[in-house]
Amino acid sequence: MDPHRSFDLAPWSVGWSAWTDEAQARRESVFALSNGHLGWRGTLDEGDPCAVPGTYLNGVFEVHPMPYAEDGYGYPDSGQSVINVPDGSIIRLLVDDEPFDIRTGRLERHEQILDFRTGTLRREVEWTAPSGRSLHLVSERLVSLTHRAVAAVQYEVTALGGPIAVTALSDIVANEPLPEVHPDERVQGPLRHPLEAVDRFATDRGATLLHRTKGSGIGVAVSMTHDLGDGDATVVVETSEDLARTTIGAHLAKGESLRFTKIVGHEWSASLTDAALRDRVEAAVAAGGELGWNGLLAEQEAYLTAFWSIADVRIEGAPRLQQAARFALFQVLQSAARLEGRSIPGKGLTGPGYQGHIFWDADSFVVPVLSHVAPDAAREALRWRHATLDDARARAEHLHLGGAAFAWRTIDGKEASGYWPASTAAFHINADVAAALVAHVRVTGDTHLEREIGVELLVETARLWMALGRWDLDGGFHIDGVTGPDEYTAIVDDNAFTNLMAQQNLRGAADAARRHPDRARAFAVDDAEVESWQGAADAVVIPFDARRGVHQQSAGFTEHARWDFEGTEPGQYPLQAHFPYFDLYRKQVVKQADLVLALQFAHECFTPEQTARAFAYYEQLTVRDSSLSASAQAVIAAWVGHLDLAMDYLTEAATIDLDDLRDDIDDGLHIAALGGVWTALIRGFGGMREDADGLSFTPRLAAPMTGLAFGIRVDGDILRVEVSADATLYSLEGEVPLTIRHFGREVVLQPGDPVRLTTPPLADPGPAPTQPRGRAPREILRSGPVE
Amino acid sequence: MDPHRSFDLAPWSVGWSAWTDEAQARRESVFALSNGHLGWRGTLDEGDPCAVPGTYLNGVFEVHPMPYAEDGYGYPDSGQSVINVPDGSIIRLLVDDEPFDIRTGRLERHEQILDFRTGTLRREVEWTAPSGRSLHLVSERLVSLTHRAVAAVQYEVTALGGPIAVTALSDIVANEPLPEVHPDERVQGPLRHPLEAVDRFATDRGATLLHRTKGSGIGVAVSMTHDLGDGDATVVVETSEDLARTTIGAHLAKGESLRFTKIVGHEWSASLTDAALRDRVEAAVAAGGELGWNGLLAEQEAYLTAFWSIADVRIEGAPRLQQAARFALFQVLQSAARLEGRSIPGKGLTGPGYQGHIFWDADSFVVPVLSHVAPDAAREALRWRHATLDDARARAEHLHLGGAAFAWRTIDGKEASGYWPASTAAFHINADVAAALVAHVRVTGDTHLEREIGVELLVETARLWMALGRWDLDGGFHIDGVTGPDEYTAIVDDNAFTNLMAQQNLRGAADAARRHPDRARAFAVDDAEVESWQGAADAVVIPFDARRGVHQQSAGFTEHARWDFEGTEPGQYPLQAHFPYFDLYRKQVVKQADLVLALQFAHECFTPEQTARAFAYYEQLTVRDSSLSASAQAVIAAWVGHLDLAMDYLTEAATIDLDDLRDDIDDGLHIAALGGVWTALIRGFGGMREDADGLSFTPRLAAPMTGLAFGIRVDGDILRVEVSADATLYSLEGEVPLTIRHFGREVVLQPGDPVRLTTPPLADPGPAPTQPRGRAPREILRSGPVE
């Protein structure tokens, strides 16, 4: 069986029928449940077989020394790595003293289904033990979107062929092994058994384990209880340092079932006392227990119904794409729903990839989507950035810069990257955070947030740009020696993306300071400083190659030698694994959208002709060795009228995880790429742009998509957009009229009064851009609907 | 007592009278004896007190893993570090069973003198033990310049106040502790006890220890014997795994002496059998023993007499400078005299600094001096580079480049640098090696060497440049993304030094291929390839800032922000220890001569006006955080007529180690900086240049120097140059006439017929260039002669 076969097609779920040994880690990632605070990978109840066990609490990590062959000033001494918190998902089963293990006996049926509307992972198994006893197992688990600390499992085992004695061992297991992250024992050692047992408590139906990480000193409490209903099962509770076990036994006649609910609570804190942690986690379990499985499930469904009522993107004519788009949105929601003071790691809470670190892609690819589909979550991610400002100011000071410099990769806010050309030098992260904040305030109308955290964040990042910038003899403002989004180019002058984002940052700071003069004064901003930001923003230089008539990704970029794409074999991608940075950096080869991302993020700075020309130019150079590229390419391809190409990029973004296109989701999903699916659909095909003149749309479809419908937030109101082949219907839900532009034409929308506007004919976009040999997107959906 | 006080002034030695506890490591470095194959630091005979014990064999090292926080393609897996070979210098002494230790009892006298004409380190001690017994100790040691494997100690102890029983324990000690080189146990662990005992043998007067390095598998044999003359001392020999001991006892009446000679032999090999190693080392000891102390000393003096007869640089009016210049030449000679198949580590064999690695400075700063003063040594260093060509070709191939890419830092020829922006990217090393070869052939007339190794070396390095280069639309040849000599700038396009050296490399390869067409064919060179080198060389682009009228260190360099020198505190130098590379790289701040080094190495490419302008410009930016800078600055300062400034830079180069100006010679001397002293004198004040028109001079003196005399090799002949205030006397020793230019005037010199030419008046050089705040050279000698 092909381990890369697709998941079962369905509009509101992804499922996998029949067991395959291959690619289990991939399914664990896809089937991961999370609420942004707590994550459980899609492992089997009985714990084995397992590829990558994973139970995470957002913010729980261990520290480790950072090894350098040659140390340098400003290199972080200490790294951070996500760890597994004690795993409460495990329910092992004995059948007449034979362990239930799908690798033994005969597996008649095995299904797992992740349901986007119930927010549950449902599993159904029929199994005959080597001894011949048969059972039917149905389990369903959820990580609650309404009770952030709570996960629950509904577990039911039924005797099929004849009577069986069943014993369920429902565990919390601490210090599960994780995949090794580094060959250096100094790094790996502290991560192998990171949790020290602090205390343990048994109750009549469960237990609580208290642990503390050895290096980072984080307290972790995991507690469980079991609801056995009114059956006559026997229950025994035991605890040891790294194990709490509730043993539930029952004798089942043929057709009889043992059924129980396991409620697991999770808490962590770096500052709370052990007693407080215990109280909190046991209170969470009690609250979950009070609701019971049905109550938790009902709340889960209600939460998701509300979410989908605005966030859903309906796609006609492309069922696989429809499924992928909902999967993407569901996982983006899961990564963030209950962040409360945290942000979104690159892999969410679906696996240990990137050591659980948070990067710029949270701010640039996820938060802007959340601002529309789950604004409370976006707000929390922005609050987390703001909460790291002290670390960011300290980092800036350590680098002898002004303002604040956010960590490139981190869990707790402190820099944890060991390769500065692709981290410290990538200062654009600071403008990315600022842009996410400005966009969020615009989308949600949350001026309270702007006052509370926005002014300070914009002021400090603006100050960083002033410290980083350089004036030329002609009054131009430059930013030298930085790294843009494209990780195959580094330490360059005037990266266009960075400069344009810095410009937005400076203007955003000036605007915010003028809107909230009292807050600005609180951060010692005076008029002269605001003027200096405005002046620098107006003077920002964007490199342009007049001879070739195209914008430069960075100064001199288009002069450099072109990568030898013809001489590069398919097996030599990703290039970074087969070529030295030295050679990648000095040639024209683009890992991921950079200038093209600038075309999206700073669209008002490029004419349509410049956009088309730049897109065509950089398409020839972009190899998409990063999952962050396809969505931006989809957006710009759609804008310049290459709709088939846009569809291919959209499809790639949408299937990158579901079809594991990059063969790299064993350690978690690409949350930012999944966020990019919404962006490709709404900004790309919907043509949604915001600029000084307000909101505008240029909606167009591409085969096989015959319809596209979505909702967005505008200043707290909801605008629904339904695109068909020849027209678009705009419906405003809210109180006040809204002016938009449809293909440049200004239209005033009245609440409750939908307007249907026709789509103008598509101007000939010219020949389709070409990509490097072998790096064109797959034409998965272009030829027509799948299935 | 000031530990930074100067050594005793003398024309042909450096000495230190009276013991000071401080700065012992510094004296151990200054007093190091070496012949390029074998090095002994200037430790005390009795082993304690000791700062950094050090006995080295050029090429003996241990491997260790290289730790990276984030690994990358092309990063070396394995590092290399020099280790201490078994130490045969130790002679401990007991006086009536009290250990002789200068920290106890009463030290009446303590002197150490390194003599440049005998090549010995002589020590004289008068000491009274706590018990009241007094002794007089005279020891003298040498590392033979004529017997590469042999060191010898003449040891004499005399009873002063009354009779004493003396016991000398003369040892070979293996696995002495070295200073820790890295905080990572993976790196440090293998270096702590690198030697595994293989075998040991005792004789009646000594012993042999055989060891093998655990990781690199290098066999090391150290053997000793003792010549006791016809005294009636008792002798006992013992050996254990890491210790061989010869115990020599005698009862001395007042005024009587125990006197003996210790001969120590050293051999190493990665391929020889243990038996062969033993044979060789014992044969070396036997040969040394046959000569005895007097014979070894006589050969040493004869060798040095021959050396100084050509190499000596006489300086009138500046005795401290005279001493420093001879010290520099002596240490340069010591680093290289008996290289035989090896090259010169950054610290020579005087300490464990830079882990014993060989860098480009050997080729650019030391070999060109050796070509004049010790051409056999220069030839060996070039042969070593050639011997690493297979590794260099493999490295180039691994980097997907053509030709050969020499290791940036290495002991065995394989790349051992863990930070590629300052190593792999510094491709200029390849042209530096090529330039050293071309210059050597020109100076020595050794066309045999050119045939034997030169053609291949030039061909392979030329191919590297062709692979690295890029053609622009106008037919210009560029080299992008490299790092030049200045380590405060990295990964730039068109580093002028690199481009100019590559140009020379390409031309040198084309010339050599035309001179030796059969050899060129052996490396598959055809006419088209030679034409392509010539074409690229002629098309090399050197960046010039037309607006500021000055050459750029690299493309765009002069546009960058200037470092905030005014805001930088004296304690913040060296900058790399206090500022991130990120900020250093993107600003105008120069660690070490780069464009200024190009002014020296490619002088024919700059007009006098361009040279003066560039020197003035880069003086404002150069902080000299590298020891490699002052000599080049001295050369160009002299050329442009700023003779006082040239004198200051010369003085800095000359005293950088003797006065420990950088407080960093505990782990060894700066051999390349010491080589630069000769360069500053002969190329700077002598104004010696070579170009297509032949050899030329523009000799001028600066206060306090009232005369300068030196000899150089020209095609195997000797040209002696004696500069006085108003004229220069040229004397040719050889067979054929030589045409030179003196201040542009062509003169034909006849052998045996000295010519005296007057010095034209110095044109006004304009205002003296300025340096960054606090970074001007000290005006040590400018005010007049010292003493």
Side-chain angles (χ1 to χ4, degrees), chain A residues 273-562:
Chain A
T273 62
D274 297 335
L277 262 185
R278 182 187 173 194
D279 280 355
R280 288 196 185 186
V281 76
E282 292 184 353
V285 168
E290 200 137 320
L291 280 167
W293 172 259
N294 290 337
L296 287 167
L297 183 61
E299 287 193 357
Q300 191 86 338
E301 289 176 331
Y303 183 100
L304 286 165
T305 300
F307 169 72
W308 290 117
S309 74
I310 296 163
D312 187 31
V313 179
R314 275 186 296 112
I315 298 167
E316 309 294 337
R320 181 68 74 191
L321 183 60
Q322 173 70 80
Q323 179 189 37
R326 288 193 176 126
F327 172 75
L329 271 168
F330 178 72
Q331 287 291 5
V332 167
L333 174 71
Q334 284 210 122
S335 75
R338 303 304 303 275
L339 284 176
E340 276 130 273
R342 297 285 313 157
S343 186
I344 303 132
K347 297 281 190 175
L349 300 179
T350 68
Y354 302 127
Q355 292 184 263
H357 291 173
I358 301 164
F359 296 81
W360 71 292
D361 56 4
D363 305 280
S364 287
F365 288 76
V366 187
V367 171
V369 177
L370 291 171
S371 294
H372 281 288
V373 303
D376 291 354
R379 188 191 63 228
E380 290 305 310
L382 292 166
R383 271 193 212 278
W384 173 77
R385 280 289 181 202
H386 178 262
T388 71
L389 259 180
D390 280 344
D391 282 325
R393 273 187 282 255
R395 177 75 177 156
E397 193 181 342
H398 189 60
L399 298 173
H400 303 280
L401 297 167
F406 288 113
W408 178 253
R409 58 185 300 170
T410 187
I411 295 178
D412 72 349
K414 295 186 175 62
E415 184 58 76
S417 164
Y419 180 61
W420 73 265
S423 58
T424 300
F427 283 98
H428 68 82
I429 187 175
N430 299 285
D432 304 336
V433 171
L437 180 107
V438 169
H440 181 79
V441 171
R442 189 180 53 227
V443 168
T444 60
D446 189 350
T447 49
H448 173 72
L449 189 75
E450 185 176 54
R451 275 191 70 77
E452 187 196 0
I453 68 164
V455 175
E456 184 179 9
L457 198 153
L458 290 164
V459 163
E460 293 291 30
T461 45
R463 285 173 173 164
L464 178 76
W465 294 116
M466 296 307 288
L468 283 167
R470 182 256 304 172
W471 294 90
D472 68 23
L473 299 178
D474 305 311
F477 189 77
H478 301 262
I479 300 166
D480 291 338
V482 301
T483 299
D486 168 24
E487 291 174 2
Y488 288 167
T489 308
I491 316 180
V492 292
D493 298 341
D494 287 330
N495 170 256
F497 178 86
T498 302
N499 286 18
L500 287 164
M501 295 302 287
Q503 185 180 56
Q504 290 185 10
N505 194 159
L506 290 162
R507 288 183 176 148
D511 291 349
R514 289 185 187 119
R515 272 198 299 275
H516 306 278
D518 56 324
R519 291 291 290 158
R521 273 195 303 277
F523 303 110
V525 177
D526 59 18
D527 289 351
E529 189 172 15
V530 172
E531 285 308 308
S532 75
W533 298 338
Q534 196 70 58
D538 293 345
V540 160
V541 172
I542 306 303
F544 185 79
D545 182 339
R547 199 154 166 178
R548 293 171 185 83
V550 70
H551 280 85
Q552 294 185 306
Q553 183 175 303
S554 51
F557 184 85
T558 51
E559 307 280 352
H560 285 170
R562 202 168 269 236

Side-chain angles (χ1 to χ4, degrees), chain A residues 68 182 400 474 493 547 560, chain B residues 68 182 474 493 560 578:
Chain A
Y68 302 102
H182 200 282
H400 303 280
D474 305 311
D493 298 341
R547 199 154 166 178
H560 285 170
Chain B
Y68 301 103
H182 200 281
D474 305 312
D493 298 341
H560 285 169
H578 301 91

Side-chain angles (χ1 to χ4, degrees), chain B residues 451-466:
Chain B
R451 275 190 70 78
E452 187 196 1
I453 68 164
V455 175
E456 184 179 9
L457 198 152
L458 290 164
V459 163
E460 293 291 27
T461 46
R463 286 173 173 162
L464 179 76
W465 294 115
M466 296 307 288

Side-chain angles (χ1 to χ4, degrees), chain B residues 255-266:
Chain B
E256 267 190 344
S257 301
L258 167 68
R259 176 181 180 150
F260 61 89
T261 301
K262 180 181 189 177
I263 309 282
V264 190
H266 310 73

Side-chain angles (χ1 to χ4, degrees), chain B residues 498-519:
Chain B
T498 303
N499 286 16
L500 286 164
M501 295 302 285
Q503 185 179 56
Q504 291 185 8
N505 194 159
L506 291 161
R507 287 182 177 150
D511 291 348
R514 288 185 188 121
R515 272 199 298 275
H516 307 278
D518 55 324
R519 290 291 289 159

Side-chain angles (χ1 to χ4, degrees), chain A residues 27-38:
Chain A
R27 296 196 302 280
E28 289 169 356
S29 297
V30 167
F31 289 148
L33 292 173
S34 163
N35 61 14
H37 167 70
L38 164 66

Side-chain angles (χ1 to χ4, degrees), chain B residues 372-449:
Chain B
H372 281 287
V373 303
D376 291 353
R379 188 191 62 228
E380 290 305 310
L382 292 165
R383 270 193 212 280
W384 174 76
R385 279 289 181 202
H386 178 263
T388 71
L389 258 180
D390 280 343
D391 282 326
R393 273 186 283 254
R395 177 74 178 157
E397 193 181 344
H398 188 61
L399 298 173
H400 304 280
L401 296 167
F406 288 113
W408 178 253
R409 57 186 299 170
T410 186
I411 295 177
D412 71 350
K414 293 187 177 59
E415 183 58 76
S417 164
Y419 180 61
W420 73 265
S423 57
T424 300
F427 283 99
H428 67 81
I429 186 173
N430 299 285
D432 304 336
V433 171
L437 180 107
V438 169
H440 181 79
V441 171
R442 189 179 54 227
V443 168
T444 61
D446 188 350
T447 50
H448 173 73
L449 189 75

Side-chain angles (χ1 to χ4, degrees), chain B residues 677-695:
Chain B
V677 176
W678 185 93
T679 304
L681 284 163
I682 279 64
R683 296 194 184 277
F685 286 96
M688 182 178 83
R689 301 166 177 82
E690 296 108 336
D691 59 24
D693 295 336
L695 193 60

